[in-house]
Amino acid sequence: MKEIDAVIDRHERIALQLSGGKDSLACLYLMKPYWNRITVYWCNTGDAFPETISQMNRIRAEVPNFVEIQGKQPETISGHGIPTDILPVSATPMGIVGAGGGVLMQDRYSCCLRSFMLPMHERMLADGITLVIRGQRNDDPLKAPIRSGTVDGGIEYLFPIEDWKASKVLSYLGAVGATIPRFYEVLDEAPDCMTCSAWWEKGATKYLKRYHHDAYKEVQHRLDLINRAVGQHIEHFNTEVTS
Ligand code: SF4
């Protein structure tokens, strides 16, 4: 931990960003010796799972400094549309104006950025944070393009488990007696929003179907809308590609 000591010693205002997933949880427990120097930040997307809220309430009671940031998922979806992994042009603002109607959609990255990534970043700036600690791992297929030690915009980033494999994370959590979120009974990753209609590769509907039937029905409805909107374009695409 000597290297971590040196990083921590360089900073007064330190944030550990927690998502509710296993990696950030492992990072939190690994950093336990420094908890009195760190503020734990969690951005509640506005559509968080009740099991994530309970987990955060447990952690809030355990750590000395905890801040909940209010995310904007419901407003983002009402203002910019339901998130999708395939965005049909007919579902964009321009497409809807042109066709005189339709269901507004947005790509998943814009939805996450608007809903919780920007609110988290804005809070870091507002609180004068100069060190951000995250549970980012190098073998995660989707991660920020920065690595541990990067300094960007006056903020240093520390990723203490970046070289860990997923199996090491789970065994570490078991060894320290952490409560592993129920999501991992069914999924490889913890979902951020109950009614998310994107991130299809994560397979979250399996989990919803088992434990949250109302949210499952809402997501299926959204997926039907996406299917119909995408289907029109696929039909034209298939004609074009085989012509
Ligand atoms: S997880 Fe889904 S619903 Fe939540 S912010 Fe990201 S894309 Fe939007």
Side-chain angles (χ1 to χ4, degrees):
M1 301 285 263
K2 267 192 190 154
E3 281 172 23
I4 294 181
D5 283 351
V7 177
I8 296 285
D9 282 347
R10 285 201 290 271
H11 298 274
E12 287 295 323
R13 303 187 75 85
I14 303 171
L16 190 151
Q17 297 179 345
L18 207 56
S19 67
K22 65 182 186 323
D23 297 335
S24 64
L25 198 58
C27 183
L28 175 71
Y29 283 104
L30 188 67
M31 296 304 291
K32 192 168 185 175
Y34 308 98
W35 280 1
N36 61 344
R37 301 275 317 274
I38 286 170
T39 301
V40 176
Y41 286 84
W42 170 55
C43 186
N44 181 340
T45 60
D47 188 28
F49 283 76
E51 44 274 60
T52 303
I53 293 172
S54 305
Q55 179 198 26
M56 291 303 164
N57 286 339
R58 281 196 303 274
I59 292 169
R60 193 195 311 260
E62 207 178 342
V63 300
N65 311 298
F66 186 98
V67 171
E68 177 174 341
I69 300 165
Q70 194 51 56
K72 298 178 177 168
Q73 188 258 31
E75 304 94 293
T76 297
I77 288 183
S78 37
H80 298 276
I82 58 174
T84 174
D85 289 357
I86 300 175
L87 179 61
V89 287
S90 56
T92 60
M94 186 75 105
I96 286 173
V97 170
V103 178
L104 185 62
M105 297 178 193
Q106 61 181 316
D107 72 89
R108 70 187 193 185
Y109 299 119
S110 299
C111 187
C112 287
L113 189 70
R114 290 168 172 140
S115 298
F116 61 88
M117 290 176 180
L118 276 179
M120 175 68 91
H121 186 65
E122 283 161 2
R123 184 61 183 263
M124 297 297 101
L125 298 180
D127 287 0
I129 295 295
T130 59
L131 176 65
V132 165
I133 304 169
R134 283 187 198 147
Q136 176 167 305
R137 288 187 300 109
N138 288 340
D139 74 348
D140 191 332
L142 201 64
K143 56 190 167 294
I146 53 172
R147 297 292 174 268
S148 197
T150 298
V151 179
D152 185 26
I155 297 177
E156 181 172 0
Y157 291 85
L158 173 66
F159 304 152
I161 64 160
E162 70 176 0
D163 294 327
W164 291 24
K165 302 287 176 216
S167 53
K168 179 169 176 182
V169 171
L170 288 170
S171 59
Y172 174 77
L173 288 174
V176 297
T179 307
I180 296 175
R182 187 175 64 180
F183 301 119
Y184 295 100
E185 284 174 14
V186 178
L187 306 173
D188 292 331
E189 287 180 55
D192 294 299
C193 298
M194 288 188 83
T195 57
C196 183
S197 51
W199 295 100
W200 303 334
E201 73 272 27
K202 292 188 180 180
T205 52
K206 285 195 299 280
Y207 185 81
L208 289 176
K209 193 173 186 181
R210 188 182 297 184
Y211 292 114
H212 298 286
H213 202 67
D214 289 348
Y216 172 76
K217 281 200 295 196
E218 176 58 27
V219 170
Q220 287 302 323
H221 169 63
R222 293 179 181 189
L223 291 174
D224 284 344
L225 296 172
I226 294 168
N227 192 14
R228 275 204 287 276
V230 170
Q232 299 164 9
H233 294 286
I234 295 288
E235 234 173 76
H236 297 313
F237 175 79
N238 285 339
T239 307
E240 286 296 281
V241 85
T242 53
S243 294

PDB file of all heavy atoms in Angstrom, residues 107-130:
ATOM      1  N   ASP A 107     -29.152   7.455 -27.845  1.00  0.00           N
ATOM      2  CA  ASP A 107     -28.190   6.360 -27.676  1.00  0.00           C
ATOM      3  C   ASP A 107     -27.850   6.208 -26.200  1.00  0.00           C
ATOM      4  O   ASP A 107     -27.974   7.150 -25.425  1.00  0.00           O
ATOM      5  CB  ASP A 107     -26.926   6.628 -28.505  1.00  0.00           C
ATOM      6  CG  ASP A 107     -26.101   7.746 -27.906  1.00  0.00           C
ATOM      7  OD1 ASP A 107     -25.246   7.451 -27.062  1.00  0.00           O
ATOM      8  OD2 ASP A 107     -26.331   8.921 -28.245  1.00  0.00           O
ATOM      9  N   ARG A 108     -27.446   5.031 -25.827  1.00  0.00           N
ATOM     10  CA  ARG A 108     -27.248   4.712 -24.401  1.00  0.00           C
ATOM     11  C   ARG A 108     -26.140   5.532 -23.751  1.00  0.00           C
ATOM     12  O   ARG A 108     -26.215   5.855 -22.567  1.00  0.00           O
ATOM     13  CB  ARG A 108     -26.972   3.219 -24.238  1.00  0.00           C
ATOM     14  CG  ARG A 108     -25.612   2.761 -24.758  1.00  0.00           C
ATOM     15  CD  ARG A 108     -25.481   1.259 -24.710  1.00  0.00           C
ATOM     16  NE  ARG A 108     -24.119   0.795 -24.895  1.00  0.00           N
ATOM     17  CZ  ARG A 108     -23.784  -0.485 -24.979  1.00  0.00           C
ATOM     18  NH1 ARG A 108     -24.697  -1.433 -24.895  1.00  0.00           N
ATOM     19  NH2 ARG A 108     -22.531  -0.834 -25.127  1.00  0.00           N
ATOM     20  N   TYR A 109     -25.102   5.851 -24.527  1.00  0.00           N
ATOM     21  CA  TYR A 109     -23.991   6.604 -23.923  1.00  0.00           C
ATOM     22  C   TYR A 109     -24.436   8.019 -23.547  1.00  0.00           C
ATOM     23  O   TYR A 109     -24.082   8.531 -22.486  1.00  0.00           O
ATOM     24  CB  TYR A 109     -22.787   6.657 -24.875  1.00  0.00           C
ATOM     25  CG  TYR A 109     -22.243   5.293 -25.201  1.00  0.00           C
ATOM     26  CD1 TYR A 109     -22.212   4.823 -26.503  1.00  0.00           C
ATOM     27  CD2 TYR A 109     -21.772   4.458 -24.200  1.00  0.00           C
ATOM     28  CE1 TYR A 109     -21.729   3.560 -26.808  1.00  0.00           C
ATOM     29  CE2 TYR A 109     -21.283   3.193 -24.481  1.00  0.00           C
ATOM     30  CZ  TYR A 109     -21.261   2.747 -25.788  1.00  0.00           C
ATOM     31  OH  TYR A 109     -20.787   1.502 -26.075  1.00  0.00           O
ATOM     32  N   SER A 110     -25.225   8.631 -24.436  1.00  0.00           N
ATOM     33  CA  SER A 110     -25.731   9.978 -24.123  1.00  0.00           C
ATOM     34  C   SER A 110     -26.631   9.915 -22.907  1.00  0.00           C
ATOM     35  O   SER A 110     -26.622  10.814 -22.054  1.00  0.00           O
ATOM     36  CB  SER A 110     -26.512  10.549 -25.311  1.00  0.00           C
ATOM     37  OG  SER A 110     -25.673  10.659 -26.420  1.00  0.00           O
ATOM     38  N   CYS A 111     -27.439   8.850 -22.816  1.00  0.00           N
ATOM     39  CA  CYS A 111     -28.361   8.718 -21.688  1.00  0.00           C
ATOM     40  C   CYS A 111     -27.580   8.597 -20.372  1.00  0.00           C
ATOM     41  O   CYS A 111     -27.890   9.291 -19.395  1.00  0.00           O
ATOM     42  CB  CYS A 111     -29.266   7.504 -21.921  1.00  0.00           C
ATOM     43  SG  CYS A 111     -30.585   7.347 -20.704  1.00  0.00           S
ATOM     44  N   CYS A 112     -26.553   7.752 -20.354  1.00  0.00           N
ATOM     45  CA  CYS A 112     -25.760   7.595 -19.114  1.00  0.00           C
ATOM     46  C   CYS A 112     -25.010   8.890 -18.785  1.00  0.00           C
ATOM     47  O   CYS A 112     -24.914   9.283 -17.621  1.00  0.00           O
ATOM     48  CB  CYS A 112     -24.748   6.454 -19.254  1.00  0.00           C
ATOM     49  SG  CYS A 112     -25.490   4.814 -19.208  1.00  0.00           S
ATOM     50  N   LEU A 113     -24.479   9.523 -19.823  1.00  0.00           N
ATOM     51  CA  LEU A 113     -23.734  10.767 -19.598  1.00  0.00           C
ATOM     52  C   LEU A 113     -24.637  11.817 -18.963  1.00  0.00           C
ATOM     53  O   LEU A 113     -24.285  12.442 -17.953  1.00  0.00           O
ATOM     54  CB  LEU A 113     -23.195  11.271 -20.945  1.00  0.00           C
ATOM     55  CG  LEU A 113     -22.218  12.432 -20.891  1.00  0.00           C
ATOM     56  CD1 LEU A 113     -20.885  11.980 -20.305  1.00  0.00           C
ATOM     57  CD2 LEU A 113     -21.994  13.012 -22.280  1.00  0.00           C
ATOM     58  N   ARG A 114     -25.810  11.998 -19.543  1.00  0.00           N
ATOM     59  CA  ARG A 114     -26.734  13.024 -19.024  1.00  0.00           C
ATOM     60  C   ARG A 114     -27.279  12.650 -17.647  1.00  0.00           C
ATOM     61  O   ARG A 114     -27.497  13.517 -16.805  1.00  0.00           O
ATOM     62  CB  ARG A 114     -27.920  13.160 -19.987  1.00  0.00           C
ATOM     63  CG  ARG A 114     -27.563  13.794 -21.313  1.00  0.00           C
ATOM     64  CD  ARG A 114     -28.704  13.639 -22.316  1.00  0.00           C
ATOM     65  NE  ARG A 114     -28.460  14.392 -23.527  1.00  0.00           N
ATOM     66  CZ  ARG A 114     -28.739  13.951 -24.755  1.00  0.00           C
ATOM     67  NH1 ARG A 114     -29.263  12.735 -24.931  1.00  0.00           N
ATOM     68  NH2 ARG A 114     -28.490  14.691 -25.804  1.00  0.00           N
ATOM     69  N   SER A 115     -27.522  11.364 -17.445  1.00  0.00           N
ATOM     70  CA  SER A 115     -28.241  10.926 -16.242  1.00  0.00           C
ATOM     71  C   SER A 115     -27.370  10.872 -14.997  1.00  0.00           C
ATOM     72  O   SER A 115     -27.809  11.256 -13.919  1.00  0.00           O
ATOM     73  CB  SER A 115     -28.852   9.539 -16.462  1.00  0.00           C
ATOM     74  OG  SER A 115     -29.781   9.572 -17.502  1.00  0.00           O
ATOM     75  N   PHE A 116     -26.151  10.336 -15.134  1.00  0.00           N
ATOM     76  CA  PHE A 116     -25.350  10.226 -13.903  1.00  0.00           C
ATOM     77  C   PHE A 116     -23.869  10.547 -14.048  1.00  0.00           C
ATOM     78  O   PHE A 116     -23.237  10.947 -13.071  1.00  0.00           O
ATOM     79  CB  PHE A 116     -25.536   8.855 -13.216  1.00  0.00           C
ATOM     80  CG  PHE A 116     -25.129   7.652 -14.023  1.00  0.00           C
ATOM     81  CD1 PHE A 116     -23.838   7.177 -13.997  1.00  0.00           C
ATOM     82  CD2 PHE A 116     -26.064   6.975 -14.776  1.00  0.00           C
ATOM     83  CE1 PHE A 116     -23.471   6.050 -14.719  1.00  0.00           C
ATOM     84  CE2 PHE A 116     -25.722   5.847 -15.504  1.00  0.00           C
ATOM     85  CZ  PHE A 116     -24.422   5.377 -15.478  1.00  0.00           C
ATOM     86  N   MET A 117     -23.304  10.435 -15.265  1.00  0.00           N
ATOM     87  CA  MET A 117     -21.863  10.732 -15.354  1.00  0.00           C
ATOM     88  C   MET A 117     -21.596  12.231 -15.172  1.00  0.00           C
ATOM     89  O   MET A 117     -20.703  12.631 -14.428  1.00  0.00           O
ATOM     90  CB  MET A 117     -21.311  10.265 -16.697  1.00  0.00           C
ATOM     91  CG  MET A 117     -21.266   8.766 -16.831  1.00  0.00           C
ATOM     92  SD  MET A 117     -20.721   8.314 -18.481  1.00  0.00           S
ATOM     93  CE  MET A 117     -20.745   6.547 -18.364  1.00  0.00           C
ATOM     94  N   LEU A 118     -22.391  13.063 -15.871  1.00  0.00           N
ATOM     95  CA  LEU A 118     -22.180  14.509 -15.728  1.00  0.00           C
ATOM     96  C   LEU A 118     -22.525  15.006 -14.320  1.00  0.00           C
ATOM     97  O   LEU A 118     -21.744  15.763 -13.739  1.00  0.00           O
ATOM     98  CB  LEU A 118     -22.992  15.270 -16.784  1.00  0.00           C
ATOM     99  CG  LEU A 118     -22.311  15.406 -18.146  1.00  0.00           C
ATOM    100  CD1 LEU A 118     -23.216  16.158 -19.116  1.00  0.00           C
ATOM    101  CD2 LEU A 118     -20.971  16.109 -18.044  1.00  0.00           C
ATOM    102  N   PRO A 119     -23.675  14.574 -13.745  1.00  0.00           N
ATOM    103  CA  PRO A 119     -23.930  15.023 -12.365  1.00  0.00           C
ATOM    104  C   PRO A 119     -22.794  14.650 -11.405  1.00  0.00           C
ATOM    105  O   PRO A 119     -22.431  15.440 -10.529  1.00  0.00           O
ATOM    106  CB  PRO A 119     -25.238  14.298 -11.997  1.00  0.00           C
ATOM    107  CG  PRO A 119     -25.945  14.130 -13.313  1.00  0.00           C
ATOM    108  CD  PRO A 119     -24.842  13.875 -14.314  1.00  0.00           C
ATOM    109  N   MET A 120     -22.213  13.447 -11.586  1.00  0.00           N
ATOM    110  CA  MET A 120     -21.082  13.046 -10.730  1.00  0.00           C
ATOM    111  C   MET A 120     -19.880  13.967 -10.966  1.00  0.00           C
ATOM    112  O   MET A 120     -19.279  14.485 -10.024  1.00  0.00           O
ATOM    113  CB  MET A 120     -20.708  11.585 -11.027  1.00  0.00           C
ATOM    114  CG  MET A 120     -19.484  11.076 -10.316  1.00  0.00           C
ATOM    115  SD  MET A 120     -19.683  10.929  -8.525  1.00  0.00           S
ATOM    116  CE  MET A 120     -20.263   9.241  -8.350  1.00  0.00           C
ATOM    117  N   HIS A 121     -19.542  14.205 -12.223  1.00  0.00           N
ATOM    118  CA  HIS A 121     -18.364  15.026 -12.526  1.00  0.00           C
ATOM    119  C   HIS A 121     -18.561  16.464 -12.033  1.00  0.00           C
ATOM    120  O   HIS A 121     -17.644  17.072 -11.462  1.00  0.00           O
ATOM    121  CB  HIS A 121     -18.083  14.989 -14.025  1.00  0.00           C
ATOM    122  CG  HIS A 121     -16.806  15.692 -14.381  1.00  0.00           C
ATOM    123  ND1 HIS A 121     -15.565  15.248 -13.957  1.00  0.00           N
ATOM    124  CD2 HIS A 121     -16.572  16.825 -15.086  1.00  0.00           C
ATOM    125  CE1 HIS A 121     -14.629  16.070 -14.386  1.00  0.00           C
ATOM    126  NE2 HIS A 121     -15.210  17.040 -15.067  1.00  0.00           N
ATOM    127  N   GLU A 122     -19.763  16.983 -12.259  1.00  0.00           N
ATOM    128  CA  GLU A 122     -20.025  18.367 -11.821  1.00  0.00           C
ATOM    129  C   GLU A 122     -19.881  18.496 -10.303  1.00  0.00           C
ATOM    130  O   GLU A 122     -19.383  19.490  -9.795  1.00  0.00           O
ATOM    131  CB  GLU A 122     -21.435  18.797 -12.271  1.00  0.00           C
ATOM    132  CG  GLU A 122     -21.459  19.143 -13.758  1.00  0.00           C
ATOM    133  CD  GLU A 122     -22.863  19.121 -14.368  1.00  0.00           C
ATOM    134  OE1 GLU A 122     -23.831  18.877 -13.623  1.00  0.00           O
ATOM    135  OE2 GLU A 122     -22.959  19.332 -15.594  1.00  0.00           O
ATOM    136  N   ARG A 123     -20.287  17.447  -9.581  1.00  0.00           N
ATOM    137  CA  ARG A 123     -20.163  17.491  -8.112  1.00  0.00           C
ATOM    138  C   ARG A 123     -18.690  17.438  -7.683  1.00  0.00           C
ATOM    139  O   ARG A 123     -18.287  18.061  -6.699  1.00  0.00           O
ATOM    140  CB  ARG A 123     -20.964  16.343  -7.502  1.00  0.00           C
ATOM    141  CG  ARG A 123     -20.976  16.347  -5.994  1.00  0.00           C
ATOM    142  CD  ARG A 123     -21.625  17.628  -5.444  1.00  0.00           C
ATOM    143  NE  ARG A 123     -21.564  17.667  -3.999  1.00  0.00           N
ATOM    144  CZ  ARG A 123     -22.549  17.309  -3.180  1.00  0.00           C
ATOM    145  NH1 ARG A 123     -23.706  16.913  -3.663  1.00  0.00           N
ATOM    146  NH2 ARG A 123     -22.393  17.366  -1.874  1.00  0.00           N
ATOM    147  N   MET A 124     -17.872  16.671  -8.449  1.00  0.00           N
ATOM    148  CA  MET A 124     -16.432  16.619  -8.139  1.00  0.00           C
ATOM    149  C   MET A 124     -15.839  18.020  -8.231  1.00  0.00           C
ATOM    150  O   MET A 124     -15.077  18.458  -7.373  1.00  0.00           O
ATOM    151  CB  MET A 124     -15.693  15.699  -9.135  1.00  0.00           C
ATOM    152  CG  MET A 124     -16.106  14.239  -9.130  1.00  0.00           C
ATOM    153  SD  MET A 124     -15.790  13.374  -7.585  1.00  0.00           S
ATOM    154  CE  MET A 124     -17.416  13.363  -6.852  1.00  0.00           C
ATOM    155  N   LEU A 125     -16.219  18.717  -9.306  1.00  0.00           N
ATOM    156  CA  LEU A 125     -15.683  20.076  -9.508  1.00  0.00           C
ATOM    157  C   LEU A 125     -16.203  21.013  -8.423  1.00  0.00           C
ATOM    158  O   LEU A 125     -15.443  21.793  -7.848  1.00  0.00           O
ATOM    159  CB  LEU A 125     -16.079  20.587 -10.904  1.00  0.00           C
ATOM    160  CG  LEU A 125     -15.529  19.779 -12.095  1.00  0.00           C
ATOM    161  CD1 LEU A 125     -15.990  20.386 -13.405  1.00  0.00           C
ATOM    162  CD2 LEU A 125     -14.005  19.694 -12.065  1.00  0.00           C
ATOM    163  N   ALA A 126     -17.501  20.907  -8.131  1.00  0.00           N
ATOM    164  CA  ALA A 126     -18.100  21.801  -7.129  1.00  0.00           C
ATOM    165  C   ALA A 126     -17.464  21.588  -5.757  1.00  0.00           C
ATOM    166  O   ALA A 126     -17.297  22.537  -4.984  1.00  0.00           O
ATOM    167  CB  ALA A 126     -19.604  21.572  -7.059  1.00  0.00           C
ATOM    168  N   ASP A 127     -17.086  20.337  -5.434  1.00  0.00           N
ATOM    169  CA  ASP A 127     -16.514  20.040  -4.118  1.00  0.00           C
ATOM    170  C   ASP A 127     -14.990  20.189  -4.085  1.00  0.00           C
ATOM    171  O   ASP A 127     -14.358  19.880  -3.069  1.00  0.00           O
ATOM    172  CB  ASP A 127     -16.905  18.615  -3.682  1.00  0.00           C
ATOM    173  CG  ASP A 127     -18.377  18.542  -3.270  1.00  0.00           C
ATOM    174  OD1 ASP A 127     -19.060  19.582  -3.334  1.00  0.00           O
ATOM    175  OD2 ASP A 127     -18.842  17.443  -2.908  1.00  0.00           O
ATOM    176  N   GLY A 128     -14.403  20.625  -5.198  1.00  0.00           N
ATOM    177  CA  GLY A 128     -12.954  20.853  -5.227  1.00  0.00           C
ATOM    178  C   GLY A 128     -12.142  19.578  -5.092  1.00  0.00           C
ATOM    179  O   GLY A 128     -11.023  19.587  -4.551  1.00  0.00           O
ATOM    180  N   ILE A 129     -12.683  18.462  -5.582  1.00  0.00           N
ATOM    181  CA  ILE A 129     -11.984  17.166  -5.492  1.00  0.00           C
ATOM    182  C   ILE A 129     -10.742  17.180  -6.391  1.00  0.00           C
ATOM    183  O   ILE A 129     -10.803  17.613  -7.545  1.00  0.00           O
ATOM    184  CB  ILE A 129     -12.939  16.023  -5.926  1.00  0.00           C
ATOM    185  CG1 ILE A 129     -14.109  15.888  -4.950  1.00  0.00           C
ATOM    186  CG2 ILE A 129     -12.185  14.707  -6.106  1.00  0.00           C
ATOM    187  CD1 ILE A 129     -13.756  15.473  -3.548  1.00  0.00           C
ATOM    188  N   THR A 130      -9.606  16.707  -5.839  1.00  0.00           N
ATOM    189  CA  THR A 130      -8.385  16.647  -6.658  1.00  0.00           C
ATOM    190  C   THR A 130      -7.903  15.211  -6.861  1.00  0.00           C
ATOM    191  O   THR A 130      -6.966  14.978  -7.618  1.00  0.00           O
ATOM    192  CB  THR A 130      -7.246  17.465  -6.018  1.00  0.00           C
ATOM    193  OG1 THR A 130      -6.983  16.939  -4.705  1.00  0.00           O
ATOM    194  CG2 THR A 130      -7.607  18.941  -5.922  1.00  0.00           C
TER     195      THR A 130
END
